Amino acid sequence: MDRKIIGKALLFPHIAIMICLVPISVALLVYSMIFCGTASIAAICSYVLAAYTLTVWCFKLPQIIRFFKSFGQKNKILSRLRNDIQFRIKVSLYGTLVWNSAYALLHLGLGIWHRTFWFCSLACYYLSLAVMRFFLVRYARQHRAGEKMRDELVRYRACGIVFLVMNLALALIIFFMVYWNRSFIHHEITTIALAAYTFTAFTASIISIVKYRKYNSPVYSAAKIISFASACVSMLTLESTMLTTFGGSGLDITFRKTMLAVSGAAISAFIIILAVCMIVKSNKKLKKLKTEINYGE
């Protein structure tokens, strides 16, 4: 058989084979990490297979991009999602509302099942975020960005007030972490996956805050600030999980409590400052709008 044909078959396999390679390589990699040593035959095979899977997908990436680009141009919904800013923002608001609500209900269910205030306090925090998101989604469904600036500023200020109130739930979470030494214990691989997700969400929330400022919409800015506050709490719970998972029994409890107390206090203080800035900023702009209206009359 021709070497070119063999090389092409190895570097550009059928898409069905590429899809099958992903779960197989992941499963083998996880198995080797948990049950085998790093120098075992299974581990070496898993590394080689994972490297090969990543390589063939990288070679296929340009074709995949072209396919989705062409599909997006032909599909009306995807085309509108790419070109219509208002529609894209509304989809983002609805998506985060559904995800936030499901996450809050999950913690509430865990709190009821395990009869612990730890999950209930987390549920209270995320339910507060979900209520604020719903408050913003209702407005965004009926109005365009910047259409009614006064109404948007009122909602922006209301979100800042709710932030101050729900900071009590955050303080309760920090109290459970520090005083009662409560935390999550996961496997190292699960913890690394959680860390990757949390840092991705944290980075994306910061980018969104900067990106959506150009639309001059307090409602959309408030929605992104909510995402950022949620990411901050996720960072706090991640820190507690990592200290418990990787610290082991040799980690000093006093050190762990001190780290969590400092981080928790910093995040709580930051959210309070953020809420106060939202209230002050909205009040100033509302007064300015009122002055302009009175001056115009």
Side-chain angles (χ1 to χ4, degrees):
M1 186 179 291
D2 193 357
R3 294 181 181 180
K4 292 184 179 181
I5 298 176
I6 297 175
K8 185 178 180 180
L10 289 175
L11 295 178
F12 300 96
H14 193 272
I15 188 65
I17 298 176
M18 294 176 60
I19 294 174
C20 293
L21 281 173
V22 175
I24 293 173
S25 60
V26 170
L28 186 59
L29 194 64
V30 172
Y31 175 81
S32 63
M33 287 183 177
I34 297 176
F35 300 104
C36 305
T38 56
S40 63
I41 297 177
I44 296 173
C45 292
S46 66
Y47 298 152
V48 172
L49 183 62
Y52 172 72
T53 303
L54 181 61
T55 301
V56 295
W57 274 101
C58 287
F59 279 121
K60 199 76 172 180
L61 191 59
Q63 185 178 346
I64 295 173
I65 294 175
R66 288 194 299 269
F67 170 78
F68 280 105
K69 187 176 180 180
S70 176
F71 180 76
Q73 292 173 349
K74 296 178 181 179
N75 189 278
K76 293 181 179 180
I77 297 177
L78 293 178
S79 179
R80 185 184 176 189
L81 190 63
R82 186 180 64 254
N83 299 320
D84 191 342
I85 297 174
Q86 302 291 336
F87 179 71
R88 184 167 65 245
I89 295 176
K90 288 179 181 180
V91 170
S92 175
L93 288 176
Y94 277 106
T96 52
L97 173 61
V98 173
W99 172 257
N100 204 158
S101 302
Y103 199 57
L105 291 175
L106 173 63
H107 282 86
L108 182 61
L110 290 173
I112 296 173
W113 178 263
H114 295 288
R115 297 180 181 180
T116 171
F117 286 105
W118 164 256
F119 288 110
C120 289
S121 60
L122 285 174
C124 181
Y125 180 83
Y126 288 111
L127 280 174
S128 299
L129 294 180
V131 169
M132 283 197 291
R133 290 186 190 278
F134 178 75
F135 188 54
L136 299 175
V137 164
R138 284 190 62 186
Y139 176 85
R141 185 178 58 184
Q142 300 173 356
H143 305 283
R144 296 178 65 85
E147 183 179 356
K148 293 185 177 181
M149 185 58 66
R150 183 184 179 281
D151 292 343
E152 290 198 30
L153 287 171
V154 170
R155 285 164 173 75
Y156 188 78
R157 181 177 60 185
C159 288
I161 296 173
V162 174
F163 265 131
L164 288 177
V165 175
M166 78 178 195
N167 195 62
L168 296 174
L170 179 60
L172 190 61
I173 295 172
I174 298 170
F175 172 78
F176 280 131
M177 280 186 172
V178 178
Y179 186 76
W180 284 353
N181 196 30
R182 299 300 299 270
S183 180
F184 297 108
I185 300 177
H186 297 290
H187 190 271
E188 287 85 351
I189 297 176
T190 306
T191 305
I192 293 172
L194 289 173
Y197 170 79
T198 302
F199 280 109
T200 301
F202 186 79
T203 304
S205 65
I206 295 176
I207 295 174
S208 296
I209 290 176
V210 177
K211 180 180 179 181
Y212 282 87
R213 285 184 63 184
K214 63 182 180 181
Y215 299 125
N216 192 29
S217 174
V219 166
Y220 296 154
S221 297
K224 299 309 171 182
I225 291 174
I226 292 172
S227 298
F228 181 69
S230 177
C232 287
V233 176
S234 297
M235 291 289 288
L236 181 63
T237 54
L238 175 64
E239 179 186 2
S240 177
T241 301
M242 294 188 73
L243 287 173
T244 305
T245 303
F246 295 107
S249 58
L251 182 65
D252 187 19
I253 297 179
T254 304
F255 173 78
R256 181 179 178 277
K257 288 185 175 182
T258 302
M259 289 289 294
L260 292 176
V262 172
S263 301
I267 291 175
S268 180
F270 178 75
I271 291 178
I272 292 175
I273 294 172
L274 191 64
V276 172
C277 289
M278 292 174 70
I279 296 171
V280 172
K281 182 179 178 180
S282 58
N283 283 334
K284 287 183 177 180
K285 289 191 175 183
L286 284 170
K287 288 181 180 179
K288 184 179 179 181
L289 283 176
K290 186 177 180 180
T291 304
E292 291 177 353
I293 293 173
N294 294 333
Y295 181 78
E297 294 177 353

